[in-house]
Amino acid sequence: YKRAHIDAKLFSFLESMSFAYEAADLAISRAGATSLAELIFYGIPAILIPYPFAYSHQSANAHVLEKTGACVVIPDARLDKGTLVEVFGELVRERDKLKVMRKNYENFRRHQSADLLIKEATDLLK
């Protein structure tokens, strides 16, 4: 990170992830449901690398966010140092992309959440 002139903080473990999420500009993560819920809640642009050995549910999770433009997905089979450096470097150099990705969460949260809540509530009335 220093050689690339990227202001980054690395920790081996954090007790309170909320501090990290509030300070983060970009996350690199697997695509489990809890991780994605946290990224959505905090609106953090992400590079997602779905875990390939879990019935492909992480891939499906990641592609939902990818369709909204809130993340970039790198399939595990394509993951290597060069690919990650290329995607990461592009996002860090072109900060406007990160702003757009963060903004794309607003549409996802607003429309998807309200629609799902209304559907669940009306289903209970049936």
Side-chain angles (χ1 to χ4, degrees):
Y1 292 110
K2 285 181 184 178
R3 283 193 307 239
H5 305 289
I6 296 170
D7 183 24
K9 304 290 183 237
L10 303 176
F11 302 91
S12 59
F13 183 81
L14 281 177
E15 189 71 35
S16 180
M17 283 299 295
S18 64
F19 295 124
Y21 282 128
E22 289 173 8
D25 294 315
L26 176 66
I28 300 172
S29 178
R30 290 294 191 178
T34 302
S35 296
L36 295 193
E38 291 169 341
L39 293 172
I40 292 166
F41 181 82
Y42 288 98
I44 299 174
I47 298 170
L48 298 177
I49 306 155
Y51 183 68
F53 304 110
Y55 304 107
S56 298
H57 77 274
Q58 285 200 10
S59 182
N61 293 347
H63 290 295
V64 169
L65 286 187
E66 184 180 44
K67 287 178 187 174
T68 69
C71 75
V72 175
V73 176
I74 301 174
D76 197 83
R78 277 196 42 232
L79 181 64
D80 60 28
K81 179 181 173 183
T83 302
L84 186 57
V85 167
E86 178 185 331
V87 173
F88 181 82
E90 179 183 333
L91 292 173
V92 170
R93 282 188 306 275
E94 299 180 32
R95 309 276 298 165
D96 287 343
K97 284 187 179 186
L98 291 177
K99 289 178 185 175
V100 169
M101 290 169 78
R102 186 177 293 274
K103 186 159 181 56
N104 287 339
Y105 276 108
E106 293 173 15
N107 293 330
F108 180 84
R109 286 191 305 254
R110 186 175 336 128
H111 299 295
Q112 299 272 346
S113 303
D115 292 345
L116 290 173
L117 182 59
I118 290 168
K119 181 187 178 317
E120 290 299 319
T122 55
D123 284 351
L124 289 174
L125 297 173
K126 293 179 184 178

